[in-house]
Amino acid sequence: MAKKHEHKKKPQEHEEVKQENQEIDIEALQKQNEELQKKLEECLRAYAKCENDKKILKKETDAMVDYAYEKFAKDLLPVVDSLELAIAHANELENKEEAFDKLVEGVELTLKKMLDTFKNHGIEPVEHEEFNPEYHQAIQHVQSEEHEEGDIVDVYQKGYTLKGKLIRPSMVTINKK
């Protein structure tokens, strides 16, 4: 029988192959590391952009809110002017009865101006046709023959909505038989 020749690598050849594999692995790892570094830099740039965008958005939102307050304040200035004029005019009059009448007239005109300003900004009074617990807060029950059970008898304090959202309920008295 013929003997098979077993090919055995010499220890030196084995070390060379091992060293080549290690060099290939190191090169592959270095390439992967470079790619990961690039991806990391991209992620960091994207994160920084998001943070900058967030800051810009907050700044713009704050500016819009400030503008809304500014517009509302400017629209209320004529109301303040009217009140100041009414007080000054009433103080100039010597006849106190006439001064009182003029003051009341000035306050009524000022109230109308203020309610118009509110309406222009979406603030409207709550309607008081019938009791609605979503818009009215019953603070007292009274007996009235003139009203049906549960009807609003009196309004102590008007409620208001801002663009349809309740910002203050009306305080009312309702009839309870």
Side-chain angles (χ1 to χ4, degrees), residues 14-136:
H14 185 53
E15 285 296 317
E16 288 175 7
V17 169
K18 190 176 177 184
Q19 195 172 9
E20 280 179 29
N21 285 341
Q22 284 178 346
E23 285 177 15
I24 292 171
D25 288 347
I26 290 173
E27 287 176 19
L29 288 173
Q30 284 175 338
K31 271 189 177 180
Q32 285 179 344
N33 188 31
E34 288 172 11
E35 289 174 17
L36 287 174
Q37 287 293 340
K38 286 178 185 176
K39 295 289 185 195
L40 178 62
E41 287 174 20
E42 288 175 19
C43 288
L44 289 174
R45 274 192 226 102
Y47 178 76
K49 184 181 180 329
C50 285
E51 288 298 310
N52 286 339
D53 290 348
K54 192 164 65 170
K55 287 176 187 174
I56 290 168
L57 189 59
K58 183 177 180 353
K59 187 177 179 182
E60 289 174 355
T61 302
D62 291 346
M64 284 190 290
V65 169
D66 289 346
Y67 175 74
Y69 283 131
E70 180 182 334
K71 183 169 176 18
F72 187 63
K74 281 182 180 179
D75 288 349
L76 285 178
L77 290 177
V79 174
V80 172
D81 295 340
S82 293
L83 286 170
E84 288 173 345
L85 283 173
I87 291 168
H89 187 65
N91 284 332
E92 290 173 359
L93 298 173
E94 291 193 22
N95 180 345
K96 293 304 170 191
E97 201 172 298
E98 183 185 352
F100 179 77
D101 291 343
K102 292 290 186 185
L103 189 60
V104 168
E105 182 182 338
V107 169
E108 287 172 344
L109 290 171
T110 303
L111 178 61
K112 183 188 177 321
K113 192 178 286 188
M114 184 154 203
L115 291 173
D116 288 344
T117 300
F118 277 0
K119 190 172 185 174
N120 290 339
H121 287 273
I123 301 171
E124 303 221 18
V126 169
E127 297 296 323
H128 300 107
E129 294 168 8
E130 61 182 56
F131 181 77
N132 180 342
E134 292 179 18
Y135 294 98
H136 303 104

Side-chain angles (χ1 to χ4, degrees), residues 119 123-137 151-152 154-155 157-161 164 166 168-172 174:
K119 190 172 185 174
I123 301 171
E124 303 221 18
V126 169
E127 297 296 323
H128 300 107
E129 294 168 8
E130 61 182 56
F131 181 77
N132 180 342
E134 292 179 18
Y135 294 98
H136 303 104
Q137 180 179 355
D151 281 356
I152 295 173
D154 198 13
V155 178
Q157 187 179 62
K158 283 185 181 179
Y160 289 90
T161 60
L166 184 69
R168 183 176 83 182
S170 294
M171 295 175 130
V172 298
I174 58 173

